[in-house]
Amino acid sequence: MVKQRKVPMRKCVASQEMFPKKELIRVVRTPDNEIRIDPTGKKSGRGAYVCAKEEYVDLAKKKKALDRALKTKVGEEVYEHLREYITTGKLHE
């Protein structure tokens, strides 16, 4: 009998719904207060998850969900990077 692996679930800050971690994008506030997209999910700092769909990014922006989750002001360029990352799958550093 094969043991079922537990799927790590995380809550999207925009929709407040639980999703498998792999379907979400982690945004992290690093210890030196930079806001970064964290595709590995391993960077140190305060993390927040947002669903990998543009409408959720827009919703997170409208509700200031990332600002609250990361306890800091999240600039417009972070949302631009998120949209770009969703459409191209590439990180823009």
Side-chain angles (χ1 to χ4, degrees):
M1 194 171 113
V2 179
K3 192 170 180 277
Q4 274 278 286
R5 287 188 53 127
K6 201 164 152 294
V7 178
M9 300 290 279
R10 296 290 181 271
K11 186 185 275 190
C12 169
V13 292
S15 67
Q16 299 299 310
E17 292 175 75
M18 297 295 281
F19 291 99
K21 192 174 162 184
K22 293 217 180 316
E23 291 175 21
L24 299 168
I25 301 170
R26 183 171 188 253
V27 180
V28 69
R29 184 191 56 175
T30 63
D32 46 8
N33 277 331
E34 281 184 274
I35 308 291
R36 295 244 177 249
I37 295 171
D38 179 14
T40 61
K42 304 271 194 295
K43 283 187 181 143
S44 72
R46 185 172 183 86
Y49 292 87
V50 68
C51 212
K53 293 191 182 88
E54 283 197 45
E55 58 266 29
Y56 286 102
V57 174
D58 296 336
L59 185 63
K61 181 179 170 188
K62 199 171 98 192
K63 290 165 72 174
K64 294 191 177 346
L66 283 175
D67 296 42
R68 271 200 304 277
L70 300 173
K71 294 184 164 65
T72 188
K73 178 92 182 76
V74 176
E76 176 60 43
E77 71 282 354
V78 174
Y79 295 102
E80 291 299 316
H81 291 262
L82 274 168
R83 281 191 205 94
E84 198 176 303
Y85 181 65
I86 289 166
T87 50
T88 65
K90 291 186 183 72
L91 260 190
H92 165 89
E93 285 297 325

